[in-house]
Amino acid sequence: MALHVMDEAARCLGCKKPRCQEGYPIGTNIPEVIRLLKEGKLDEAGWMLFENNPLTTVCSLVCNHESQCEGHCIRGIKEAPVHFSVIENYISTTYANKMVKGPAPSNGRRAAVIGAGPAGLTIAIILARYGYQVTIFDGRDKIGGVMRYGIPDFRLPDAVLDDIAYRHLELKGIKFRPNTYIGNTLTIDDLFRDGYESVFVGAGLWRSNRLNIKGESLGHVSYAINYLANPDAFHLGERVVVIGTGNSAMDCARTAIRKGARHVVCVARGDTISASQYETSYAKLEGVDFLMDKSTLEIRDDGVVLADNRRGEDGPTVTVEGTEKLYP
């Protein structure tokens, strides 16, 4: 692993105007991190990663690198780009084991964070660096939000989030109140009453996107966000149809295969797959099939009714009448 990482780091050209940073939404100085690693200053590189992005290990695993940092790498024009995700993951996981410092000196001020997802965790960790006494409230029993309850373990292991809970929350004195919804028994007014001077709300977007077609309420239908939260609670059977081809669709399809489905197909409305090439390639490798240019018209007890699509003369996709077909 280390040899591979160093070989990959050696491929970095150290561009004066690094294009990789143009596509890197977090803003970490990628060339500097790589330079430090090549000089044997792994701890300094690790500190830089976590200082700029407390969830750097998570990002190294689940971000869409091919359209962000790696997709902008100058080497990618003629050959494979520098795979910074591999470098970032190695540095962050190695350096994390050395992160054992306790809380920063208290500034005597309290802050509440509602939601233990990526936004809530990030702001809580940053506030704790400045001495705030932070309490995180979340309706689930563990931290992570969509990272834990919306991304499969084979992409983002729970152990990564458990390590964040220990090193970034517990060791830093950040308190976590699980299974606690703000707005029911406790309100934001109660938080201010109890001495919190500021409240950050990062409750997440847990509402599913509806298709608004007949059959959505049937017992063998599930929305992606509900299924991924606890796949073991669902019994999908051997044949599964996933409507959509985004990264969440790939997560559902690949999870269904791991849970015993024998035939899984993803349905695309157009002629392209919207998921990343990385996720799509793994889905195909694991046996997921794809139906392109299809509209989903109805869900029945015995399958899904699809129809062909074609692109109209003025651009919009239209459904071709008379092409309806039941896919069991």
Side-chain angles (χ1 to χ4, degrees), residues 60-138:
S60 73
L61 293 171
V62 302
C63 283
N64 189 358
H65 306 103
E66 66 190 47
S67 66
Q68 296 176 352
C69 53
E70 295 175 11
H72 286 70
C73 176
I74 192 70
R75 277 196 176 274
I77 296 176
K78 294 185 177 181
E79 56 181 318
V82 175
H83 293 98
F84 181 67
S85 57
V86 175
I87 298 170
E88 182 181 21
N89 183 258
Y90 174 74
I91 296 173
S92 61
T93 53
T94 303
Y95 179 72
N97 294 321
K98 303 178 182 181
M99 300 178 71
V100 294
K101 288 182 63 175
S106 175
N107 64 14
R109 308 177 75 175
R110 293 183 185 274
V113 173
I114 302 173
L121 290 176
T122 299
I123 195 66
I125 293 168
I126 292 174
L127 287 172
R129 290 175 183 170
Y130 291 94
Y132 285 86
Q133 300 174 52
V134 182
T135 300
I136 303 175
F137 301 83
D138 196 89

Side-chain angles (χ1 to χ4, degrees), residues 222-232 234 236 251-253 255-257 259:
S222 172
Y223 294 114
I225 201 165
N226 303 129
Y227 175 64
L228 292 173
N230 185 9
D232 291 329
F234 295 82
L236 301 183
D251 287 343
C252 289
T255 299
I257 287 177
K259 298 301 179 180

Side-chain angles (χ1 to χ4, degrees), residues 241-242 244-245 263 265-273 289-295 306 327:
V241 175
V242 178
T245 59
H263 180 71
V265 59
C266 290
V267 179
R269 181 170 174 79
D271 59 359
T272 59
I273 296 173
D289 293 325
F290 291 85
L291 285 174
M292 312 303 293
D293 293 308
K294 301 292 183 184
S295 280
L306 305 177
Y327 288 80

Side-chain angles (χ1 to χ4, degrees), residues 206-255:
W206 292 98
R207 180 177 294 179
S208 302
N209 291 323
R210 296 186 55 190
L211 291 172
N212 293 310
I213 61 174
K214 184 178 180 181
E216 277 188 84
S217 66
L218 297 180
H220 62 305
V221 180
S222 172
Y223 294 114
I225 201 165
N226 303 129
Y227 175 64
L228 292 173
N230 185 9
D232 291 329
F234 295 82
H235 304 284
L236 301 183
E238 293 190 352
R239 299 179 65 85
V240 175
V241 175
V242 178
I243 301 172
T245 59
N247 284 334
S248 292
M250 299 304 108
D251 287 343
C252 289
R254 297 176 66 194
T255 299

Side-chain angles (χ1 to χ4, degrees), residues 179-205:
N179 300 323
T180 304
Y181 288 95
I182 301 300
N184 293 337
T185 304
L186 289 176
T187 66
I188 290 180
D189 288 339
D190 294 327
L191 300 181
F192 286 121
R193 177 203 64 196
D194 292 342
Y196 293 97
E197 297 183 46
S198 59
V199 177
F200 175 83
V201 180
L205 299 173

